[in-house]
Amino acid sequence: MPAVDPRPERSVSARAPRAGLLLVGVLLLGANLRAGITAVGPVLPQIEHEVGLSASQASLLVSLPLVAFAVISPFAPRLAEAFRLERVLGLALVVLAAGIVVRSVPGPGLIWVGTGLLGAAIAVLNVLIPSLIKRDWPHRIGPMTGVYQAVTALTAALASGVVVPIADVAPSGWRFALGIWAAVAIIGVAVFLPWILGVASRVGSGTAAPRAAAPDATGPGSPTPGSGADDDAAPAVPPAVTASVARSRARLPLGSALAWQVTVYMGLQSTVYYTMVTWLPTIQISDGATPVQAGWYHFAFQACGLVGTLFAAFMIPRLREQSGLGAVFAASAVIGLLGLLFVPSLSLLWALFIGFCTGGAIVLAMALFGLRTTDYHRAAALSSMAQSVGYLFAALGPVMIGLLKDASGSWTAPLLVMVGVAVAQGVFIALAGRRRTLGA
């Protein structure tokens, strides 16, 4: 009997601990995506009073991370190609922790500097996490996206719920209540430290020796990312060729209709979420809720997002197309927004409908980056494009809705506009949810 080459088995066993560590890292990345942002809303009145912000300045402060998302997102894929994906993710966590701390330190302008750093770091994480999942879990995109987004929704809800009680008892008030979230980022840095220092190689085969054949070939017998295939099974492509291929894949797919459909969907669902994060408590207070009730309603809104997240994660791998699933989420938002408009006494119920939409829609949007591409380079490029333009929509949303409310004197016109946004969200997921890939 011919001897069996044991190298693939040794490769798999060697990579298993790193794969587990990377999975923990992905969950910690998810825990850092929203908590630093959603914790601000409930203590915004305290920030306005202590820092001396006007209402318009406070609105800009809330939108600043979204502006950073739009500005920084296009550069994330190039950073990953230049410095390795895991290293850039780990360094983004370092910047995030620094931003949270700087935002919480007294000093002229530091709240703006810290918020900007926080937004820039989360922008990089937002773009590159779907790329990481596409690379190392190519056949589990839906479940993996749902898992990390579930952690995101859970920590976002927790941050919204505990920030006011902590601020009430801490000597430094809101500064400590916001600053403690740097600890979550620091824990993430510890997990990614082997990659930051360059002592851990990437799990899987995507950045190991590239094949002489097409790098994204997935035919019978072709190794897939994260499969543990032997890195010595085929000769390496010359580095110059590899770099050229990587650069071409990192280009934003600006000429693709499918890419724009995904991008607009990303922007519309982000607009619904961030507008509600900013204004839902104010709307509910204007409808008769007390500030304490509005705070708990906001917690329920975030918590129901977790339900939507888990539902999306369960359904995505079971569907050939995602248009119908996206329509369910859009319909849930329409119901909730119309409910706030016509039956405001049930605002808690309507918050749950909207939360279900926002939790599920973000999972679907993030999953599309992998589902509509053939390899993790292209996933990063699509993610970068969609999030850059999409978060520009989201940054404008809360500001424009606030201006419309001031101009009209009520929440009727703003809520009707948001109903239109939710309907458009359903239209664009009907297009982006069809089973196609870029370039196919």
Side-chain angles (χ1 to χ4, degrees), residues 336-352:
L337 290 163
L338 290 175
L340 285 174
L341 185 59
F342 294 110
V343 193
S345 59
L346 299 178
S347 62
L348 173 58
L349 175 63
W350 310 132
L352 299 181

Side-chain angles (χ1 to χ4, degrees), residues 387-407:
Q387 297 197 55
S388 178
V389 177
Y391 283 120
L392 182 60
F393 285 14
L396 294 174
V399 176
M400 299 306 295
I401 291 299
L403 291 174
L404 183 56
K405 193 270 178 183
D406 290 341

